[in-house]
Amino acid sequence: MSNQANYPIGIDLGTTYSCVGVWRSERVEIIANDQGNRTTPSCVAFTSEEKLVGESAQNQAAYNVSSTVFGIKRMIGRQFNDAQLQTDLKHWPFKVKQDNGKPVVEVTFKGGVHHFTPEQISAMILLKMKQTAELKLGAVKDVVITVPAYFNNAQRQATKDAGESAGFNVLRILAEPTAAALAYGLDANSPVIKNVLVYDLGGGTFDVSVLTIEGSDFKVLATSGDTHLGGEDFDTLLVEHFVRELQAKKGQDISKSPRALRRLRTACERAKRILSSATRATVEVEALYDGIDFQAVLTRAKFDEICGYLFGFTITFIKKILDDAGLQKSQIDEIVLSGGSSRIPKVQQLLSEFFGGKKLNTSINLDEAVAMGAAIQAQMLKGSTVQRIKDIYLVDIAPLSLGIESGVERKMTFVVARNTPLPTTKSQNFTTVYDWQTTVRFAIFEGESPYVDSNALLGEFRLENIQSALKGVPKFLVKFTIDLNGILHVSAVDKLTCSYKDITITNYRNRSSNEIQALGMKKY
């Protein structure tokens, strides 16, 4: 163990696996856990005696199905009634309950029933990564944690909260493809301006970003993605395929057996990994259900047939960001891969073909690239004396547009456009829509629709005791400030009375549309 303490570290908090890195001896070092592995399963289990995190949790999952929690990244920062979360609930063997509109995980722990928020489960995984780093480095405090580029404000804030709960000083919440680009760019160190597309397909999320890199200058131009697209979805499709096959051939329906489904999922995930380097794999589970052994051959061609439409779906996001960045396919100089699922041969084939047969860049470790970039960013923020770190200039962007509901038509007045460089401060003037109003409510939304019903409500506050006047007379200046973590702060001031109110948007309890009344406020 090093005698020097307080190294800043970088953590890739993944859906299925997490990874931690540190800058030491002029390079990034990925730190292996106590099992000697460089990635750690993002899995937490609760037993009658103890809490388990990582490999120990994953290894007992089939025998403790209802109290082994995984995929928590898909839940963090979401509301319980979120459509994607409700879809996930059909595939998770553990119970998720609703608490004041938010999801909580219900497990049996030390003989009693306990409820944990997604932030608390994530904090347990982050604490495991902290302990992994401390075995090598001594005490650590400062961290950069990565999130999908397309994580919204609530998801970023919830991840930051989880880091602080784990005892970290969170230096920055960094977008995963930006982190991968940092790892690639530091290695490439090219003085020529390059347009780089980062294709990051992980266990549970997909991101694609376009950056310009010139020497030590990194500028994100556009980003897009899906926080519900990744290796877990491919596993789910394989499980559903074999459940149907079992039903047809053996007359056995295992869909109501969480233990059988969990064991089958593990076997499918293993086969999926094998198919990245082989053309066929065996999916085999001893005594899967009712004493019946299960065995099936999965070819790469069949895997591509089952999951191909999801592979193709990623290309639509590439078209979108090229549009946003104002670039043609021919103007992309490098295509950098990140995330374990980008190893899938069919994925690589589709991506290369879309760019006219262009060779893909796999120079950085697909499982470790994001943690490497996070470690570089952590060293930057702590004031590195290493010249090639010290000189890095990084500009990230807001992934989604932000605005305020205005008028009785429930329209979205955009204040910050998506792909705006961060940090940023933007202001808009508003006024009243009714005579003699004394209170104005400001509701903050995130999304691209011109109507707020199709966007996500982030939070709200009210200016009260404003001077009663005819509609259109009062004047309010609303200011949006987004920090380098992509976290939003909103303030409003009544120009006449100087009445002031502000809010830092956190993981907000969403309301149904019929609960949201007309604001009594409009842009002018």
Side-chain angles (χ1 to χ4, degrees), residues 134 176 219 249 328 343 400 429 464 509:
E134 289 181 335
E176 289 166 1
K219 183 180 180 183
K249 292 183 177 179
Q328 301 296 317
R343 284 192 177 89
L400 294 162
N429 289 303
E464 298 179 336
R509 183 182 71 84

Side-chain angles (χ1 to χ4, degrees), residues 202-220:
T205 60
F206 169 67
D207 284 307
V208 59
S209 292
V210 172
L211 305 90
T212 59
I213 302 177
E214 181 181 11
S216 298
D217 290 349
F218 295 72
K219 183 180 180 183
V220 183

Side-chain angles (χ1 to χ4, degrees), residues 252-325:
Q252 293 284 350
D253 182 10
I254 70 167
S255 62
K256 299 296 188 288
S257 171
R259 183 172 182 268
L261 289 174
R262 176 64 194 181
R263 295 180 69 208
L264 180 57
R265 175 177 283 271
T266 300
C268 286
E269 183 189 5
R270 189 182 303 118
K272 177 191 68 178
R273 289 173 179 269
I274 291 171
L275 290 175
S276 289
S277 55
T279 57
R280 58 198 292 122
T282 302
V283 179
E284 189 172 13
V285 186
E286 187 177 341
L288 174 64
Y289 187 71
D290 258 2
I292 296 175
D293 296 336
F294 176 76
Q295 186 179 71
V297 173
L298 180 66
T299 64
R300 185 184 289 177
K302 188 63 179 178
F303 174 55
D304 293 345
E305 178 190 325
I306 293 169
C307 302
Y309 79 94
L310 287 182
F311 301 159
F313 191 46
T314 66
I315 303 299
T316 64
F317 292 99
I318 296 174
K319 294 175 182 176
K320 180 176 182 289
I321 66 159
L322 288 176
D323 234 16
D324 287 348

Side-chain angles (χ1 to χ4, degrees), residues 99-261:
D99 181 16
N100 196 27
K102 297 178 183 179
V104 292
V105 177
E106 181 178 284
V107 296
T108 301
F109 181 37
K110 293 185 177 180
V113 175
H114 294 260
H115 295 94
F116 295 100
T117 66
E119 291 89 337
Q120 288 173 317
I121 299 292
S122 296
M124 295 170 193
I125 299 166
L126 288 167
L127 182 58
K128 173 70 174 179
M129 305 313 294
K130 186 174 190 284
Q131 292 166 344
T132 294
E134 289 181 335
L135 285 172
K136 183 84 172 181
L137 306 172
V140 296
K141 187 74 174 175
D142 299 317
V143 68
V144 168
I145 304 172
T146 61
V147 295
Y150 225 55
F151 252 24
N152 64 28
N153 185 83
Q155 291 168 310
R156 288 168 185 259
Q157 181 66 56
T159 303
K160 188 170 187 284
D161 292 344
E164 290 170 352
S165 295
F168 281 116
N169 172 37
V170 182
L171 298 172
R172 184 71 46 84
I173 298 296
L174 181 65
E176 289 166 1
T178 305
L182 270 177
Y184 157 78
L186 193 72
D187 184 55
N189 196 28
S190 171
V192 179
I193 297 177
K194 284 187 174 183
N195 293 321
V196 177
L197 182 138
V198 179
Y199 181 99
D200 183 4
L201 184 60
T205 60
F206 169 67
D207 284 307
V208 59
S209 292
V210 172
L211 305 90
T212 59
I213 302 177
E214 181 181 11
S216 298
D217 290 349
F218 295 72
K219 183 180 180 183
V220 183
L221 300 180
T223 193
S224 189
D226 190 330
T227 57
H228 249 71
L229 176 59
E232 286 199 353
D233 300 288
F234 310 148
D235 298 341
T236 296
L237 290 177
L238 291 175
V239 168
E240 290 173 348
H241 167 75
F242 288 119
V243 166
R244 289 192 299 270
E245 190 174 278
L246 260 171
Q247 177 77 42
K249 292 183 177 179
K250 304 281 188 180
Q252 293 284 350
D253 182 10
I254 70 167
S255 62
K256 299 296 188 288
S257 171
R259 183 172 182 268
L261 289 174

Side-chain angles (χ1 to χ4, degrees), residues 156 173-175 178 218 220 394-398 420-423 484:
R156 288 168 185 259
I173 298 296
L174 181 65
T178 305
F218 295 72
V220 183
L394 174 64
V395 178
D396 212 338
I397 58 175
T420 296
L422 300 180
L484 288 165

Side-chain angles (χ1 to χ4, degrees), residues 277-516:
S277 55
T279 57
R280 58 198 292 122
T282 302
V283 179
E284 189 172 13
V285 186
E286 187 177 341
L288 174 64
Y289 187 71
D290 258 2
I292 296 175
D293 296 336
F294 176 76
Q295 186 179 71
V297 173
L298 180 66
T299 64
R300 185 184 289 177
K302 188 63 179 178
F303 174 55
D304 293 345
E305 178 190 325
I306 293 169
C307 302
Y309 79 94
L310 287 182
F311 301 159
F313 191 46
T314 66
I315 303 299
T316 64
F317 292 99
I318 296 174
K319 294 175 182 176
K320 180 176 182 289
I321 66 159
L322 288 176
D323 234 16
D324 287 348
L327 295 174
Q328 301 296 317
K329 288 190 283 186
S330 59
Q331 293 176 282
I332 297 297
D333 301 301
E334 288 281 2
I335 304 161
V336 176
L337 299 185
S338 179
S341 296
S342 65
R343 284 192 177 89
I344 296 171
K346 187 64 174 180
V347 166
Q348 295 188 2
Q349 178 193 333
L350 290 172
L351 187 56
S352 178
E353 285 176 354
F354 179 76
F355 284 97
K358 192 173 184 65
K359 186 177 180 182
L360 309 178
N361 189 309
T362 56
S363 62
I364 49 178
N365 187 299
L366 301 183
D367 298 315
E368 301 171 2
V370 171
M372 291 172 65
I376 293 167
Q377 172 80 104
Q379 188 67 21
M380 287 165 55
L381 294 173
K382 291 301 287 184
S384 175
T385 57
V386 179
Q387 200 64 41
R388 61 190 183 129
I389 296 285
K390 186 179 176 182
D391 290 345
I392 289 176
Y393 178 68
L394 174 64
V395 178
D396 212 338
I397 58 175
L400 294 162
S401 297
L402 297 155
I404 285 183
E405 180 182 352
S406 63
V408 294
E409 304 93 347
R410 298 180 51 72
K411 288 186 176 180
M412 174 88 156
T413 294
F414 293 95
V415 179
V416 179
R418 76 172 189 269
N419 297 328
T420 296
L422 300 180
T424 188
T425 297
K426 302 284 185 181
S427 299
Q428 286 269 20
N429 289 303
F430 292 85
T431 186
T432 52
V433 293
Y434 302 120
D435 293 339
W436 320 121
Q437 280 182 237
T438 57
T439 299
V440 175
R441 172 176 163 266
F442 296 89
I444 300 102
F445 285 82
E446 183 174 51
E448 310 307 323
S449 172
Y451 292 94
V452 298
D453 283 342
S454 300
N455 295 329
L457 176 63
L458 296 180
E460 64 176 81
F461 61 89
R462 295 175 186 271
L463 271 180
E464 298 179 336
N465 301 317
I466 64 174
Q467 186 167 314
S468 179
L470 292 171
K471 65 181 180 181
V473 173
K475 300 293 186 286
F476 314 109
L477 180 68
V478 179
K479 183 186 292 184
F480 280 45
T481 299
I482 310 177
D483 66 17
L484 288 165
N485 295 308
I487 294 171
L488 174 65
H489 179 89
V490 181
S491 65
V493 62
D494 180 347
K495 290 185 176 181
L496 186 61
T497 65
C498 293
S499 174
Y500 176 86
K501 192 80 172 181
D502 67 350
I503 183 174
T504 297
I505 304 297
T506 56
N507 190 0
Y508 185 72
R509 183 182 71 84
N510 212 348
R511 301 188 181 202
S512 63
S513 297
N514 60 9
E515 288 180 303
I516 303 172

